[in-house]
Amino acid sequence: MERLVETARDYAARATADNTNTAYARDWAHFASWCRRRGADRFTPDPQLIGLYITEMAAPQDGSPPLAVSTIERRLSGLSWNYQQRGQRLDRQDRHIATVLAGIRNKHGKPPEQKEPISPEELLEMVSLLSFGLRDMRDRAILLLGYAAGLRRSEIVGLDVNRDDTEDGKGWVEIEDGGAVIIQKTKTGWKEAEVARGSSDQTCPVRALKQWLHFARIDHGPIFRRVTRDNGGVQADRLSDKHVARLIKRTMLGAGLRSDVPDAERLKLFSGHSLRAGLASYAEVDERHVQKQLGHASPQMTRRYQRRRDRFRVNLTKAAGL
């Protein structure tokens, strides 16, 4: 029975993504600290107490910056999940929570800040900065494959060479004659992304990936790994997803992109999401193909990524006779 209990706990932990579990744990720790400072009981899901908590998140009493509405909502989700794990229920529809949250949304709600998409021309300028040492071969494959497959940064570094290579892997790559197929584990099941070969060797993500695997001598386990300081070999550890964001910012600055903007502002324009947004915005194909590649359940979500979408392609004004 003890072994079954441990197995059940392991399955329960895998019900949500590792990043989500980490975020929820931080949410609970923050709430617990807030309760201790005020002598409140954190273990009882009291809607009135939660209402006061989110009020202080939106209007801190100590003069610290207020949290974004999306962060407050995420923290509420984290508290709900933590109470659920304790066999309790937090009623988020209770007026002490729902009305306060509605007021916070009305007063502090803002449109979501979106990172700039990277165009194909900009990506090639970034890639051109990279040499053919091991570290740069790895980074070239990250940029080209991440762009062509429309991957999140966690999905890029979560790839393994083969299926079931590692316990923490989020997918694997099958290289075929025509290209590569990326099979990934998502919140809603499994999805596939097809990455065909590029128009030239210099821009082909499949060739870049094969080149990295060959020279790094990787045939099992994580695809993207740390490289030794002397650039002479690879380590066994999986690369952190933060490396993708740092890589994009570094090569973007090095290529002189958006040089009319001060460096501090330029760094805020791009992130790991810029690869995914770039594919959605610049791929000249039918929208449904982009939706499938990104793994979106609806075209509405895909359109949020299409920063340069032609909003007035369908002219309802003229169609109405005006």
Side-chain angles (χ1 to χ4, degrees):
M1 292 295 290
E2 291 181 1
R3 186 174 298 176
L4 281 175
V5 169
E6 289 300 320
T7 304
R9 286 176 178 168
D10 182 59
Y11 281 138
R14 292 174 181 270
T16 50
D18 291 341
N19 288 344
T20 302
N21 289 333
T22 301
Y24 284 172
R26 289 174 180 167
D27 293 338
W28 181 258
H30 185 275
F31 176 64
S33 175
W34 183 86
C35 288
R36 281 194 300 270
R37 293 196 303 271
R38 287 156 183 79
D41 177 16
R42 65 184 183 277
F43 294 110
T44 302
D46 180 2
Q48 196 167 2
L49 179 66
I50 302 298
L52 294 175
Y53 173 68
I54 63 175
T55 296
E56 183 150 1
M57 297 305 98
Q61 301 299 300
D62 59 2
S64 58
L67 296 183
V69 175
S70 59
T71 303
I72 295 173
E73 291 175 333
R74 209 284 317 290
R75 287 198 170 170
L76 264 179
S77 298
L79 296 185
S80 297
W81 184 87
N82 276 281
Y83 279 124
Q84 185 180 10
Q85 304 312 300
R86 292 169 169 78
Q88 298 174 303
R89 178 177 177 272
L90 175 63
D91 183 10
R92 293 181 58 174
Q93 301 307 313
D94 184 281
R95 64 186 181 87
H96 291 100
I97 297 177
T99 54
V100 170
L101 184 59
I104 291 173
R105 287 183 181 132
N106 286 338
K107 184 172 182 178
H108 301 292
K110 299 177 182 177
E113 293 185 5
Q114 296 181 317
K115 297 298 181 181
E116 285 290 306
I118 297 172
S119 72
E121 294 77 18
E122 290 173 331
L123 181 69
L124 295 183
E125 288 185 48
M126 293 160 63
V127 169
S128 68
L129 299 175
L130 303 174
S131 68
F132 287 91
L134 275 178
R135 188 174 288 107
D136 280 0
M137 279 195 287
R138 177 199 65 193
D139 290 346
R140 180 181 293 102
I142 286 175
L143 291 175
L144 292 175
L145 188 69
Y147 194 95
L151 300 177
R152 301 175 178 87
R153 65 185 192 181
S154 61
E155 293 172 339
I156 295 173
V157 300
L159 291 174
D160 288 342
V161 179
N162 310 292
R163 181 173 186 170
D164 300 328
D165 273 356
T166 65
E167 291 187 0
D168 64 337
K170 298 182 182 299
W172 68 96
V173 180
E174 296 178 354
I175 299 178
E176 303 177 359
D177 292 340
V181 179
I182 299 174
I183 299 97
Q184 292 176 291
K185 182 167 55 179
T186 68
K187 295 179 181 178
T188 57
W190 294 90
K191 77 166 186 176
E192 291 186 0
E194 299 173 357
V195 179
R197 295 184 182 273
S199 55
S200 71
D201 287 345
Q202 289 72 31
T203 64
C204 178
V206 181
R207 185 178 186 276
L209 175 61
K210 290 182 65 177
Q211 189 178 49
W212 157 246
L213 292 175
H214 172 74
F215 285 99
R217 298 180 181 178
I218 297 174
D219 58 10
H220 184 274
I223 288 179
F224 296 113
R225 311 180 184 189
R226 299 178 183 275
V227 175
T228 57
R229 288 183 179 274
D230 62 358
N231 209 25
V234 298
Q235 301 175 354
D237 297 340
R238 188 185 303 278
L239 204 61
S240 166
D241 65 337
K242 293 179 181 178
H243 173 81
V244 179
R246 290 194 293 263
L247 169 63
I248 290 171
K249 292 177 184 294
R250 174 171 60 83
T251 53
M252 177 271 298
L253 287 175
L257 305 185
R258 318 291 172 91
S259 56
D260 57 323
V261 180
D263 285 356
E265 294 299 320
R266 290 165 69 196
L267 287 172
K268 296 179 182 178
L269 292 177
F270 297 93
S271 73
H273 235 56
S274 295
L275 296 177
R276 191 169 166 85
L279 177 74
S281 300
Y282 289 95
E284 300 292 343
V285 295
D286 192 281
E287 186 180 82
R288 69 180 185 275
H289 298 301
V290 178
Q291 180 184 339
K292 178 180 181 295
Q293 188 80 334
L294 299 186
H296 290 154
S298 67
Q300 287 76 19
M301 178 58 72
T302 303
R303 287 168 194 152
R304 289 176 59 182
Y305 283 77
Q306 294 173 321
R307 312 287 197 262
R308 58 189 288 273
R309 177 172 60 88
D310 185 358
R311 296 180 181 273
F312 306 107
R313 182 173 51 192
V314 177
N315 192 326
L316 292 179
T317 306
K318 290 183 178 179
L322 300 180

